[in-house]
């Protein structure tokens, strides 16, 4: 079987099932495992490079209003690759090429690949997607074994977190300028890890919130899980936090409990590493119970400093 994966999470699922050798094309964002980086890119972003967070948000809003796609699909390359299966998603047109564009492209191909459309809204959906991909690829046993391993890790976190003396108030932010709350599986991950995120949109997309709501919520822990950003880029968003009126009265900021993460590789990627994300959260929320997980460039504590103290 010849596979094109248009979603980083799906690419990770396929490789985790031992079927990486069947992948002939990936999206421009597929960067894990490292072998995926050498594969032909069948998508590209239409967004200009070097934009600030505010400019990226404005571009996305304009795209939604005008109906202009944020991503382009290389139909000529697809024709050359002749995939039997294309894995995409219908969850969010901001995160990846739209499923409608995929079906439109298939109409012009000499081959007629099957399209597998993944729509994970929560943790159970992500696990179900792994099982579904395994079934389509004919490796149900490997999928079952992978799921058993992931479910054991989830249960371990949940069991240990239940012993915690407190359940801190957590805020996960999928975007900082302007602020967007956590969406889909984020509230669930926080709850399993022993906290609660009352601003997150459980099982549904993240949405824009007001900074006044953040200040009023008074989170004890803030975790920046910026969609599409690596750890270094997310660290750069801390200056935005420092400019928010009232931010230095928020417990998380006063007590040094603000963290940056590699959202693109973990929290916003619905694949096997979402369980890594859970383990990261567990450590950040309850370091007395959970040792730092050994994931390189995945998370870091950050200082929110007044402009006068910034270097």
């Amino acid at each position: 079987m010849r596979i094109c994966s248009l979603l980083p999470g799906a690419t990770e699922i396929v490789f985790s099932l031992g079927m990486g050798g069947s992948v002939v094309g990936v999206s421009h964002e597929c960067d894990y495992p490292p072998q995926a980086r050498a594969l032909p890119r069948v998508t590209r972003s239409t967004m200009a490079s070097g934009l600030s967070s505010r400019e990226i948000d404005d571009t996305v809003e304009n795209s939604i209003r005008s109906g202009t796609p944020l991503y382009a699909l290389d139909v000529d390359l697809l024709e050359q690759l002749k995939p039997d299966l294309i894995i995409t998603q219908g969850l969010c047109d901001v995160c990846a090429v739209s499923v409608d564009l995929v079906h439109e492209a298939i109409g012009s191909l000499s081959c007629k690949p099957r399209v597998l459309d993944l729509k994970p809204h929560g943790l159970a959906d992500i696990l179900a997607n792994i099982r579904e991909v395994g079934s389509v690829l004919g490796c149900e046993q490997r999928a079952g074994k992978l799921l058993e391993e992931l479910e054991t890790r989830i249960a371990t976190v949940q069991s240990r977190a239940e012993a915690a003396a407190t359940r801190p108030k957590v805020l996960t932010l999928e975007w900082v300028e302007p602020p967007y709350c956590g969406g889909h599986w984020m509230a669930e991950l926080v709850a399993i890890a022993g906290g609660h995120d009352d601003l997150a949109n459980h099982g549904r997309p993240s949405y824009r919130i007001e900074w006044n709501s953040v200040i009023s919520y008074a989170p004890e822990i803030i975790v920046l899980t910026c969609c599409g950003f690596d750890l270094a880029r997310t660290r750069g968003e801390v200056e935005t936090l420092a400019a928010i009126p009232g931010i230095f009265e928020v417990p998380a900021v006063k007590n040094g409990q603000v963290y940056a993460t590699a959202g693109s590789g973990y929290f916003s990627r619905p694949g096997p590493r979402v369980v890594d994300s859970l383990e990261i959260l567990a450590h950040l929320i309850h370091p007395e119970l959970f040792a730092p997980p050994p994931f390189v460039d995945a998370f870091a504590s950050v200082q929110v400093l007044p402009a006068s103290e910034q270097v």
Side-chain angles (χ1 to χ4, degrees):
M1 181 180 289
R2 297 174 63 81
I3 305 166
C4 271
S5 172
L6 308 184
L7 189 66
T11 299
E12 292 192 25
I13 291 172
V14 174
F15 273 87
S16 294
L17 295 177
M19 297 294 288
S22 297
V23 180
V24 296
V26 295
S27 80
H28 64 287
E29 294 182 312
C30 293
D31 57 4
Y32 190 88
Q35 304 93 295
R37 299 173 188 166
L39 293 168
R41 290 348 205 179
V42 297
T43 70
R44 63 175 176 82
S45 173
T46 62
M47 195 179 301
S49 60
L51 300 180
S52 68
S53 295
R54 172 63 72 173
E55 289 168 336
I56 292 172
D57 185 71
D58 289 343
T59 300
V60 170
E61 289 293 324
N62 290 335
S63 171
I64 292 172
R65 282 196 296 268
S66 65
T68 305
L70 288 167
Y71 305 99
L73 190 59
D74 190 333
V75 180
D76 291 338
L77 180 54
L78 273 179
E79 177 66 45
Q80 295 173 31
L81 296 174
K82 292 183 168 40
D84 304 302
L85 175 69
I86 295 177
I87 307 178
T88 185
Q89 57 88 43
L91 187 69
C92 175
D93 290 349
V94 176
C95 296
V97 63
S98 75
V99 69
D100 291 338
L101 188 60
V102 173
H103 282 290
E104 181 182 331
I106 287 174
S108 65
L109 298 179
S110 59
C111 62
K112 299 301 175 187
R114 173 179 177 178
V115 176
L116 180 57
D117 178 17
L118 306 180
K119 298 177 182 177
H121 294 279
L123 182 57
D125 295 331
I126 297 173
L127 299 179
N129 284 166
I130 293 173
R131 191 177 301 280
E132 183 179 12
V133 172
S135 177
V136 170
L137 300 185
C139 51
E140 291 91 340
Q141 268 194 317
R142 275 174 280 180
K145 183 177 180 182
L146 174 60
L147 286 168
E148 185 178 347
E149 294 170 354
L150 296 176
E151 288 165 351
T152 296
R153 290 168 62 191
I154 293 168
T156 297
V157 170
Q158 186 163 23
S159 176
R160 191 176 301 170
E162 286 173 354
T166 61
R167 295 185 67 83
K169 194 186 296 185
V170 179
L171 172 68
T172 56
L173 284 176
E174 292 196 10
W175 206 250
V176 177
E177 181 57 29
Y180 279 75
C181 66
H184 295 300
W185 44 85
M186 287 307 304
E188 186 178 7
L189 294 184
V190 170
I192 295 171
H196 62 98
D197 185 344
D198 299 334
L199 294 185
N201 202 18
H202 177 52
R204 304 186 66 185
S206 64
Y207 62 90
R208 185 170 174 174
I209 58 177
E210 299 299 325
W211 282 117
N212 285 343
S213 299
V214 173
I215 304 301
S216 298
Y217 179 52
E220 298 167 81
I221 299 169
I222 295 176
V223 185
L224 308 181
T225 63
C226 299
C227 184
F229 284 3
D230 61 12
L231 179 60
R233 179 67 193 267
T234 303
R235 281 177 181 269
E237 299 300 297
V238 176
E239 289 185 16
T240 299
L241 281 181
I244 306 304
I247 196 68
F248 292 101
E249 297 307 311
V250 171
V253 176
K254 290 171 69 173
N255 299 324
Q257 297 270 56
V258 180
Y259 303 95
T261 70
S264 62
Y266 292 89
F267 295 91
S268 55
R269 187 170 295 194
R273 286 198 293 170
V274 75
V275 179
D276 294 3
S277 305
L278 171 63
E279 292 169 345
I280 291 169
L281 276 176
H283 167 65
L284 300 183
I285 297 170
H286 288 293
E288 76 282 7
L289 296 176
F290 297 92
F295 309 132
V296 178
D297 293 330
F299 64 95
S301 174
V302 292
Q303 282 189 296
V304 182
L305 298 173
S308 60
E309 297 181 29
Q310 293 176 15
V311 178

